[in-house]
Amino acid sequence: MTSDAIVFEGLGFFLYRSTARDGLSAGDLDNIRTVARQRNGACDLSGCLHHEGGLFFQWLEGPQTQLRAVVDSILQDSRHRDITVLDEGPLTHRRFQHWRMRFSDRDQASLLDWFAQSRASTVDPHDYAGGVAAFLQAVSV
Ligand SMILES: Cc1cc2nc3c(=O)[nH]c(=O)nc-3n(C[C@H](O)[C@H](O)[C@H](O)COP(=O)(O)O)c2cc1C
């Protein structure tokens, strides 16, 4: 029996908040969603994008090399600005296994409401990145 090593590249994740460009239309959002789902599918990435109050919150996960390439594109995209990295790092299990890019907005759930309610829940209101990640995971569309 051979002992050829099969190297599986580790998974990583990237979580950020950004400000949507002024006047971003429903068509722009549609385009972002469509391109994201196509490219994420081709790159074996998964994740979710939440749009609320002129802000984007996105969790993206997958093999590190593909993740980095797509994140680089996202960082240069003029449809948003003031990109703040909330968290990033290695990942043992995907959180959005079945979503090439789940999209949600204020109609589905509100991050502001989530934080307001989190005072009374198990989510630590001082852990902003953890709260955003927990919210994104809890949103069911
Ligand atoms: C808020 C936001 C989220 C995005 N999310 C993704 C994504 O998850 N995957 C993706 O491939 N492109 C995403 N895009 C689009 C990329 O920025 C980029 O336009 C696209 O990947 C095509 O890359 P290219 O222009 O370098 O070919 C997003 C753009 C914005 C503004």
Side-chain angles (χ1 to χ4, degrees):
M1 182 191 262
T2 63
S3 60
D4 292 347
I6 300 172
V7 179
F8 291 102
E9 192 187 25
L11 294 173
F13 75 96
F14 189 81
L15 174 67
Y16 72 87
R17 180 193 62 219
S18 65
T19 304
R21 192 188 64 203
D22 288 343
L24 209 65
S25 66
D28 292 324
L29 289 173
D30 256 0
N31 176 269
I32 290 171
R33 219 172 359 210
T34 302
V35 170
R37 285 179 179 157
Q38 279 169 357
R39 191 173 177 198
N40 292 355
C43 294
D44 192 24
L45 300 181
S46 43
C48 67
L49 176 64
H50 182 73
H51 181 235
E52 177 175 348
L55 299 175
F56 286 118
F57 297 85
Q58 188 174 28
W59 174 284
L60 196 54
E61 64 190 15
Q64 302 268 10
T65 306
Q66 289 99 306
L67 178 65
R68 194 66 246 169
V70 172
V71 165
D72 284 347
S73 291
I74 293 173
L75 294 179
Q76 290 170 31
D77 198 310
S78 62
R79 290 172 291 188
H80 62 168
R81 59 185 164 81
D82 300 337
I83 299 165
T84 303
V85 180
L86 301 178
D87 203 3
E88 62 181 319
L91 199 64
T92 49
H93 297 96
R94 288 180 192 255
R95 295 192 183 181
F96 297 90
Q97 177 77 40
H98 304 295
W99 297 94
R100 284 303 166 210
M101 184 46 59
R102 194 197 66 200
F103 182 80
S104 58
D105 61 20
R106 183 72 183 75
D107 291 344
Q108 276 88 43
S110 165
L111 179 62
L112 291 179
D113 290 351
W114 168 267
F115 270 112
Q117 289 156 10
S118 69
R119 275 175 231 284
S121 79
T122 53
V123 177
D124 178 356
H126 302 294
D127 176 11
Y128 182 67
V132 171
F135 166 78
L136 293 175
Q137 223 176 338
V139 176
S140 56
V141 180

